[in-house]
Amino acid sequence: MRREERHHLKENPLATGLQEFQVVLYRHGRKLAVAVVLVLAVALGAGGYFWWQQQRIDRAGEQLAEALLVLDGDMAAPDPGAEDAADGDTGGESEEASLEAAVEGLLAVADAYPGLRPGITARYEAAVALVGLGRPEEAAAHYQQVIAAAVGQLHGTMARLGLAETHVLRGDYDGAVELLQRETEAEESDVPVDAVLMRLGRAYELAGQDADALATFTRVVEEFPFSVYSSEARRKADALGG
């Protein structure tokens, strides 16, 4: 390059700026390349994590479906010919064993995937089955785990109602009343209020608090006149009002 041209470039702000920019790129090119590689690595890592998480959800769903098939098979209507099988209650023992197997399968899914929706569902269904087996203490423990894991979800609400039921089964009517009262006062609930009020009214009855039971059943009649529970609530209120 001739001396005059070099001198002209020095006086040309645009050319000077381009030269400086090229120097910056050269000096920081490696840093920029490393930064790009890191961004790509994070993006790929995130994609890999979501893929792995989806794989876990799919496996959990498959295992839950298998466990529910066992549970559904146990809940199916018994074979009419089973009554002629033999003397004794062998049919009842067989049903209990099948239900035990269903609970074992459901809890296996729940323990393997405690934070995923299939795992939460499995634990809830296991708790319901444990109530059917007459083991409310164990059911209560699993309901409480569901409540902790399913905050703001339908299973969390249903688990609270199930927990209240275990209190009733254990004769702790005050505990059941406290849980159900709290549920009726919730600002948002996935369960209809009239359904919760009916459970609360029955808990009051069992606790011998007839005045509170009457007020609760009357509330169902007055506030929910078209509810599927309105007829039963009216009968209860009439009986308690005497």
Side-chain angles (χ1 to χ4, degrees), residues 127 131 135-145 162-163 166-167 170:
V131 170
R135 292 152 59 181
E137 292 84 1
E138 294 177 57
H142 289 293
Y143 277 136
Q144 288 171 337
Q145 290 186 57
L163 184 59
T166 64
H167 281 288
R170 289 179 290 174

Side-chain angles (χ1 to χ4, degrees), residues 156-181:
T157 303
M158 296 302 296
R160 289 194 293 273
L161 297 180
L163 184 59
E165 182 180 354
T166 64
H167 281 288
V168 170
L169 292 174
R170 289 179 290 174
D172 180 14
Y173 305 125
D174 291 337
V177 165
E178 181 180 354
L179 284 171
L180 293 168
Q181 275 183 333

Side-chain angles (χ1 to χ4, degrees), residues 99-100 103 107 125-136 138-140 142:
L99 195 54
E100 291 276 6
V103 169
L107 290 180
E125 294 293 342
V128 173
L130 284 167
V131 170
L133 286 168
R135 292 152 59 181
E138 294 177 57
H142 289 293

Side-chain angles (χ1 to χ4, degrees), residues 71 111 160 211:
L71 183 63
D111 291 337
R160 289 194 293 273

